[in-house]
Amino acid sequence: MKGGGARVYGTIFKQIRLDHHLTQREVAAGLVSGAALSRFERGQADLPLGLLSQLLRRMGVTLPEYIAMTDQSASAQTQFAAQLDQRYRARDAPALAALCQRALHDYHVTHEARDLVRAAFAASHYFDLTGQVLLKPGDVAALVDKLAAATHWYLPALQTVANVATILPPTRALAIAKLIVADLPAIHALGRGSFEGAVDALLSVHRALIIRELPLAAVSENLLQALSLPPTMLTLRLRRRFLSLLFSYVQGDAQAVARLEQLLELLRRTDNAAVADELAIAFTHIHRRPGPKVT
């Protein structure tokens, strides 16, 4: 149960525990420390199958039943992400809208956060293609509340921010970016993957602010420039450079256009075509909005 799968296993375990109205202490008593169980539920650690089976029995669930639940959840998430990616690459905005509405309907029935996050993912992809926000203010507010409630920024929450930044209210997006920056020492201690997730989230917020609220983008630009990124994080460094140039371009630097095009070409040559497409769409948003353009 390693990597992304570990997060699914921990999330499903926690949901079972909450459904049975049990605390971590009650489930863990005499078998494992509360800290170890907490790390497992957050997807940061694994548990031996024998121990996991004992913990599940305390909640009236067998190991085969639990495995079936996690497999179903992981499969559903993977299928939804694949559908989003396929529709997005095909520039199929109506299909993205349909995926969003389906997930939103599920959320209004189940009130499960994962359904709201799915709807937001689809809505964010739709916004990229059309410039229109599909979610109603109440649903966006619920999403913001979910993100703002994070006491520490673990990878799943960071990935959510990265995927929905474009549809968050700009002031709230910037506030979340500041919370992530404040938590960076703890995030860094979790490992390289978590730190990269934090940078990805911050870059996504900056991209959204350049598109939607340029005065606030000046703040996120400063946050990003203060980050020290090692040479090994080349793609993240290139994304940061592109967004800094885009920020300069919107402020009136006409010479930034040539450098932006060079960076897009470099990304495509280094097997980062998907990143290049994402950044090219951000550039398209700048030209689509009303107001004078740099020539």
Side-chain angles (χ1 to χ4, degrees):
M1 302 178 195
K2 300 293 185 182
R7 291 193 292 276
V8 172
Y9 277 88
T11 298
I12 298 299
F13 185 96
K14 180 179 180 180
Q15 189 58 56
I16 295 170
R17 178 175 61 77
L18 293 175
D19 287 345
H20 285 76
H21 306 288
L22 294 169
T23 66
Q24 286 182 340
R25 179 177 296 179
E26 288 170 331
V27 174
L31 293 176
V32 66
S33 70
L37 182 57
S38 179
R39 287 195 296 272
F40 172 68
E41 289 190 347
R42 296 196 302 263
Q44 296 178 320
D46 208 349
L47 290 177
L49 282 179
L51 174 58
L52 180 58
S53 181
Q54 288 179 282
L55 295 170
L56 289 167
R57 280 201 298 271
R58 285 188 169 176
M59 301 186 293
V61 177
T62 68
L63 186 59
E65 288 172 337
Y66 171 69
I67 296 297
M69 293 179 201
T70 55
D71 286 347
Q72 183 179 14
S73 176
S75 176
Q77 292 283 29
T78 300
Q79 289 176 11
F80 188 80
Q83 286 180 307
L84 278 185
D85 187 62
Q86 183 182 22
R87 305 298 190 272
Y88 182 70
R89 287 179 176 275
R91 303 293 191 263
D92 191 345
L96 289 172
L99 287 171
C100 176
Q101 294 304 327
R102 191 183 313 157
L104 202 55
H105 174 268
D106 291 343
Y107 167 65
H108 289 150
V109 172
T110 67
H111 300 290
E112 291 283 350
R114 65 174 178 270
D115 292 323
L116 176 59
V117 169
R118 286 182 184 180
F121 282 10
S124 185
H125 283 67
Y126 183 85
F127 177 87
D128 256 1
L129 297 183
T130 68
Q132 300 174 12
V133 178
L134 286 176
L135 296 189
K136 293 180 179 179
D139 295 319
V140 174
L143 178 66
V144 171
D145 288 344
K146 168 182 166 54
L147 293 171
T151 54
H152 291 290
W153 289 92
Y154 299 107
L155 191 54
L158 292 168
Q159 291 170 333
T160 298
V161 173
N163 279 297
V164 305
T166 53
I167 63 171
L168 297 177
T171 54
R172 301 303 299 272
L174 181 59
I176 288 171
K178 290 179 177 178
L179 289 174
I180 292 172
V181 169
D183 207 32
L184 274 178
I187 293 171
H188 205 287
L190 297 176
R192 172 173 170 149
S194 294
F195 181 70
E196 288 181 342
V199 177
D200 183 32
L202 293 172
L203 288 168
S204 297
V205 168
H206 189 40
R207 173 182 181 272
L209 294 179
I210 292 173
I211 293 170
R212 299 185 63 187
E213 195 69 36
L214 191 61
L216 297 182
V219 179
S220 56
E221 172 73 11
N222 289 334
L223 291 177
L224 280 167
Q225 291 306 319
L227 290 183
S228 177
L229 301 183
T232 52
M233 296 184 181
L234 177 60
T235 300
L236 292 175
R237 289 167 64 94
L238 290 175
R239 283 182 64 200
R240 180 173 67 176
R241 177 60 178 156
F242 182 94
L243 292 175
S244 291
L245 286 171
L246 187 61
F247 179 68
S248 297
Y249 167 71
V250 178
Q251 290 186 310
D253 182 4
Q255 296 181 351
V257 174
R259 298 196 292 274
L260 287 166
E261 291 174 346
Q262 290 171 356
L263 269 179
L264 288 176
E265 180 59 28
L266 176 60
L267 284 164
R268 292 189 175 102
R269 288 203 314 267
T270 54
D271 296 324
N272 285 291
V275 176
D277 288 345
E278 171 220 326
L279 295 174
I281 287 173
F283 191 68
T284 300
H285 273 289
I286 298 301
H287 283 276
R288 188 161 53 202
R289 70 187 182 191
K293 305 294 188 296
V294 176
T295 59

